[in-house]
Amino acid sequence: MPSVLSPLTDALGRPLRDLRLSVTDRCNLRCTYCMPAEVFGPDFAFLPKSELLSFEELERLARLFVRGGVQKLRLTGGEPLLRRGLPDLVARLSSIGGVQDIAMTTNGLLLPRLAADLKAAGLKRVTVSLDSLDPQVFGRMNGLGVQPDRVLDGIEAALTAGLGVKINTVVQRGVNEDSLGELWRALRGKALLRFIEFMDVGNHNGWNLSAVVPPGEVLARLGGNFTPVTANYPGEVATRYADDQGFEVGLIASVSAPFCGDCTRARLSAVGVLYTCLFATGGLDLRASLRAGASDDELYALLSERWHARTDRYSEERGELTRRSAQRPKVEMSHIGG
Ligand code: SAM
Ligand code: SF4
Ligand code: SF4
C-alpha cells in the first residue's frame, strides 16, 4: 500500500519519514567507538540466522512503515554487506510503492564485489565510513589493522557502479583529528565528506565529552575559508559549508548542536525491535507479534501507537541524562546501525 498523504506524527509533532533497517549484528571490523574488540571478541555470541528477520519479514514490515509515512529506507548493520543475498532484499524493498530512496551505510570493504548488483537491484546511494587515510590511525580505529586502501577501492567500485556516494568520518579528539585535512584534500573532489561528532552510543566505547571535536574546530583543521550552504531540505542532519573552490563538506554535530526537533527516523534492529531513538534503552518487539501470527493491520496498529507516543529527544537532554546514563543500559550501535 502506498504512503499515506499524512504520515504518522509523534507526541512532539514529528512525522515518520525514514526507516533504518539493520540487517545483521555482525561486522568485519571492530571500530573502537562501536564494537571494540575487547568486548566483541572471538567468543562473542552473535545472533543465529533464525533470529534475524528474513527478507520476507523485512519487506512486510517495511511496507507497513511506508503505510505510516516512511519515504526513505536505509540499510545498515553491523555491516550490511555481510548479509547474504543483500541485492535480493534491495530488489524487494524497491518494489514497495511510495519508497523514494534506498540507501545504505557501509564500511565499504565488500563493495568491489557487490556494488554493481546492488545498483541493479535499486540501491541509489551509499554512505561509506572512513575515519582516516593514515594507515596506522585507521588500522587502530578499525581495531583490526585494515588499511584505508581497501575502503578506497570500495568507494571507487560504488562510483563506477553509478551509486551516489557520501563519506562519513567519526572525529575523536586525540585519535584522528590530525588526519582530517589529508582526508579532505584527497576526497573532496570525489564525494561529499561528512564529519560526525563522536557520540555516546552503546555501553562500551568509553565516551566522554572531552573527546568530541566541535564543528568550528573541524573546519579550522581542514584549512581554507568556508561559507555556509543552504540546507537541501528541512531536517538535513549535516550542516554544509563550501570552500573557496566550491567543494562542500558536511558537519554532523549531534552532540554540540542536536537536531532532535527534526528527527523523523525509526530504527528496526536485525531481530525486529523498533527503536524510536538512537539512544533508546528499549524498543517494541515487532518480530514477536509478527511470528505469533499478527495481521498487517495489527502490526500497523502497534507501530502507529508506538510512534504516536514517541517523545525521544535524547541529544537535547544529554546534559542531564548523561549523568544518569551510566546506570542506564542503551541499545548497542551494532544493533541499530547508526
Ligand atoms: N558498518 C557500517 C558502517 O560502519 O558504515 C554501518 C553501521 S555503523 C554502526 C553506522 C555509522 O555509525 C558509521 O558511519 C559509524 O562510523 C557510525 N558510528 C558508530 N559508532 C559511532 C559513535 N560512537 N559516534 C559516532 N558515530 C558512530
Ligand atoms: Fe562495524 Fe560499522 Fe561499527 Fe565499524 S562502525 S564496527 S564498521 S558496524
Ligand atoms: Fe533522533 Fe534520538 Fe538522535 Fe534526537 S537523539 S536526533 S531523537 S535519534
Side-chain angles (χ1 to χ4, degrees):
M1 190 182 289
S3 172
V4 285
L5 282 178
S6 306
L8 296 170
T9 48
D10 72 9
L12 302 178
R14 296 168 297 185
L16 172 62
R17 283 300 187 202
D18 311 82
L19 176 64
R20 298 187 173 205
L21 297 161
S22 170
V23 295
T24 177
D25 62 334
R26 288 165 203 255
C27 190
N28 43 2
L29 292 181
R30 288 291 179 273
C31 304
T32 49
Y33 51 72
C34 177
M35 297 175 71
E38 316 83 78
V39 179
F40 296 85
D43 298 330
F44 187 84
F46 287 101
L47 296 164
K49 179 143 193 256
S50 58
E51 293 280 320
L52 303 180
L53 290 179
S54 67
F55 288 176
E56 289 77 10
E57 291 171 329
L58 277 161
E59 180 188 341
R60 187 170 162 207
L61 289 176
R63 277 184 194 280
L64 296 176
F65 278 93
V66 171
R67 197 205 282 188
V70 162
Q71 297 173 332
K72 293 183 181 176
L73 300 176
R74 176 171 291 274
L75 300 175
T76 179
E79 173 46 43
L81 295 177
L82 290 181
R83 180 75 187 255
R84 212 166 283 168
L86 200 63
D88 296 342
L89 175 63
V90 171
R92 281 172 175 272
L93 298 175
S94 303
S95 73
I96 302 176
V99 171
Q100 294 176 5
D101 190 23
I102 306 183
M104 181 172 60
T105 308
T106 170
N107 62 31
L109 296 179
L110 295 175
L111 279 175
R113 206 185 295 165
L114 287 162
D117 287 351
L118 288 166
K119 169 74 180 168
L123 189 73
K124 294 200 164 50
R125 303 182 294 121
V126 288
T127 299
V128 180
S129 304
L130 176 58
D131 295 329
S132 179
L133 287 178
D134 179 318
Q136 293 210 322
V137 174
F138 184 59
R140 269 199 301 275
M141 284 181 89
N142 68 51
L144 297 180
V146 170
Q147 296 299 288
D149 288 357
R150 304 246 332 258
V151 182
L152 293 175
D153 289 347
I155 291 170
E156 285 302 331
L159 290 168
T160 305
L163 290 165
V165 179
K166 289 181 189 164
I167 298 170
N168 271 0
T169 302
V170 176
V171 183
Q172 271 182 289
R173 191 178 301 288
V175 179
N176 63 338
E177 57 185 334
D178 290 339
S179 50
L180 304 184
E182 181 190 21
L183 203 57
W184 165 243
R185 286 184 294 277
L187 296 175
R188 63 186 167 182
K190 274 197 187 298
L192 178 70
L193 242 86
R194 306 187 315 164
F195 293 99
I196 307 179
E197 286 180 343
F198 175 38
M199 293 185 288
D200 50 333
V201 283
N203 310 288
H204 304 294
N205 70 7
W207 182 87
N208 67 70
L209 194 54
S210 60
V212 176
V213 182
E217 224 180 301
V218 171
L219 286 182
R221 285 185 172 273
L222 304 186
N225 294 315
F226 287 92
T227 37
V229 175
T230 317
N232 280 332
Y233 52 90
E236 189 178 358
V237 296
T239 308
R240 283 174 298 116
Y241 292 82
D243 72 3
D244 293 339
Q245 297 170 70
F247 291 120
E248 289 187 12
V249 61
L251 298 171
I252 304 186
S254 350
V255 178
S256 58
F259 36 79
C260 301
D262 291 324
C263 182
T264 56
R265 287 178 288 281
R267 296 174 156 86
L268 193 62
S269 76
V271 294
V273 176
L274 165 62
Y275 293 96
T276 55
C277 179
L278 185 53
F279 300 91
T281 51
L284 172 70
D285 188 349
L286 288 174
R287 188 193 66 179
S289 307
L290 186 154
R291 291 191 180 171
S295 67
D296 279 357
D297 285 343
E298 286 163 343
L299 290 167
Y300 184 72
L302 287 171
L303 77 87
S304 320
E305 191 188 344
R306 178 50 68 108
W307 192 264
H308 282 316
R310 176 183 190 243
T311 56
D312 307 274
R313 40 189 289 278
Y314 176 89
S315 288
E316 291 180 349
E317 298 172 328
R318 181 179 272 107
E320 191 224 332
L321 279 177
T322 358
R323 285 192 285 281
R324 281 192 263 145
S325 70
Q327 297 104 45
R328 172 189 121 129
K330 288 174 274 178
V331 63
E332 286 303 322
M333 189 69 139
S334 53
H335 268 281
I336 52 173

